[in-house]
Each structure stands twice: as structure tokens, then as C-alpha cells.
Amino acid sequence: MVQSVDRALALIEHLAETAEGARLSDAARAVGLAPSTAHRLLTTMEQRGFVQFATATGRWYVGRRAFAVGTAFTRRENIVAPALPILRRLRDATRETANLGVLEDGVVRTVAQVESREIMRAIASPGGRTPVTCSGMGKAIVASWPDAAIEALVARHGLPPKTPRSLTSAGALMAEIARVRAQGYAVDDEEFVAGMRCVAAAVFSAAGEPVCAISISGLAARVTPAAVPELAGVVMKAAEELGGKLSGL
């Protein structure tokens, strides 16, 4: 590992997660660096356009170049473009926010979203990250893995709780995974954000490997336990349609 590269990337990741930007001292503290070291790295990246500094606010932000590089991922994976029409139809059929996510080093990253038209709705900015074990999309994807691989994931990343309903034991997680395998879909039952429920299904390649996942998310008052099975049927159909498109079927 090249330490300076690792530190620079940690700074960019922190800025990406901080929509309002970050002051130098806060960014340095967040990634465990001395302010002087953080400043050198930020000014270097600023010269390349990966970050930018706003004099008016005294804060650092992600730069345009970082966005340009990031879009190369979606072009390479070629999943967002074919997914968007499906997400729009899923949003219209359920009236809830439709999401597309990929698994990435112990978290689910949202790579596309079509917002609900409801006044009160779930919103997660593209690029947002959710621990796998608190995510409907994450559980839907890893349910296709062998038990040993899931146990290794937990050993590496733990079970970070986000709400009182988050799964916090390996036993509870594996029981949940068994339910996902039996029913074909996963539920984030207010495990990441209190008051929000998510229904998700994995998208599989022609080889049977999970490529990504699709979900709908909305207020728990609307996405009720009684409504989940019907909504899950719509989500699974959307996931199957996207899988067919990605496989060229």
C-alpha cells in the first residue's frame, strides 16, 4: 500500500460523504491525519481538479474531475443506462423511490435512483453507502453467497448498528439470510433509517452471479409488512427484467 495515495483517497471519500463540504480541520480529523498533511494532499488534488476549495465558506468539496472519473465506472459496468427505464417503471408501479445498488467492500453503494413523487419519500444521493447487513439490497446480494463467505464478510466488517432494529448478531443475520433465500427478496425493516422500509431483489447475470440489486424504499407507514409481499413481486420482476437485459436476453 502506498500511504500517500491511501490518505488522499480517504480524504476524497470523506468529502464525497459530506454534502456541505468539510473544513480542513474536520477533514483531517475524520481520516486521522495532521492538518498540515491533509492540506498538502488536498492542495495537490486541487491542482488536478479532484477537489476544490471555496474561499467564501472555507470548506473543501469534491471536484469535477472526481465526478468525471467516477462516471467511468458506470460506463464500464454498463448497468445504469439499461436500469433507468426499469427503475422509472418500478417507481410508477409502486409510487416509491426505486434504487440500483452494487456491492463494494462491505457496503452497498447506490449508483442510480428514481425518486418517488410522494411529498414524503426516501432519498439517498447517488454514491451513498450502506452497510451490507443494514441494507435490503446488500442482503439480497449476499444471500446468493455460501454461508462461509457471509461469515467472512461479517468477520471483516462486523455488524455496525444504524438503528435499534439493525441486526447485531451473526445468528440473527443468518436467520434473515435463510428467509431471503426462501422468499427470493430481502427487506430492510427500518434497519438503516428509522421510519423507512426497503424491499430488494438481486439482479443476476447469465452465469447466475449477482451483479447488482434493485429496491424500492419508502415510509414504513406506506411500505407496511402487509404490503411487502405484493411490492416484492413487482421488485423481483424488475430485477429479473434487468438481469435479462444485462445478459443480452
Side-chain angles (χ1 to χ4, degrees):
M1 180 179 292
V2 179
Q3 189 178 61
S4 59
V5 175
D6 182 62
R7 288 171 168 178
L9 292 174
L11 283 168
I12 288 182
E13 288 178 346
H14 175 68
L15 296 181
E17 295 168 359
T18 313
E20 68 276 13
R23 297 186 183 279
L24 173 63
S25 57
D26 295 333
R29 187 181 310 110
V31 300
L33 296 176
S36 59
T37 301
H39 186 261
R40 287 196 301 272
L41 292 169
L42 288 168
T43 53
T44 299
M45 291 189 289
E46 183 183 27
Q47 293 172 20
R48 297 293 300 271
F50 282 87
V51 303
Q52 59 187 42
F53 179 71
T55 305
T57 63
R59 294 176 182 271
W60 290 89
Y61 301 85
V62 171
R64 293 179 181 177
R65 185 60 184 161
F67 172 79
V69 171
T71 58
F73 169 80
T74 55
R75 291 196 303 270
R76 178 177 64 84
E77 294 297 312
N78 198 27
I79 60 174
V80 173
L84 283 174
I86 296 171
L87 293 179
R88 293 188 188 102
R89 291 196 296 273
L90 182 58
R91 182 271 313 276
D92 293 342
T94 64
R95 301 181 65 181
E96 302 296 348
T97 296
N99 314 282
L100 179 71
V102 296
L103 196 62
E104 182 181 283
D105 194 27
V107 298
V108 172
R109 187 177 294 277
T110 301
V111 294
Q113 183 179 82
V114 177
E115 292 182 18
S116 167
R117 294 191 176 98
E118 299 292 326
I119 295 175
M120 298 295 291
R121 59 191 185 273
I123 301 175
S125 58
R129 300 186 299 176
T130 308
V132 168
T133 54
C134 298
S135 163
M137 290 193 286
K139 289 185 285 186
I141 291 172
V142 302
S144 66
W145 294 7
D147 287 357
I150 299 174
E151 291 164 1
L153 177 79
V154 172
R156 180 177 179 184
H157 298 284
L159 290 158
K162 295 296 181 179
T163 76
R165 299 180 70 94
S166 299
L167 303 175
T168 56
S169 73
L173 174 63
M174 296 311 296
E176 178 71 3
I177 292 299
R179 282 190 289 272
V180 175
R181 289 168 174 165
Q183 61 198 16
Y185 64 89
V187 177
D188 159 12
D189 191 11
E190 302 185 63
E191 297 160 51
F192 184 59
V193 176
M196 291 288 177
R197 189 171 282 122
C198 166
V199 183
V203 175
F204 293 93
S205 68
E209 295 294 327
V211 178
C212 54
I214 279 180
S215 74
I216 59 103
S217 50
L219 295 181
R222 288 198 305 262
V223 184
T224 63
V228 163
E230 182 177 353
L231 291 170
V234 181
V235 173
M236 287 190 290
K237 184 177 180 180
E240 184 178 0
E241 181 182 358
L242 179 56
K245 282 193 172 187
L246 296 180
S247 301
L249 302 178

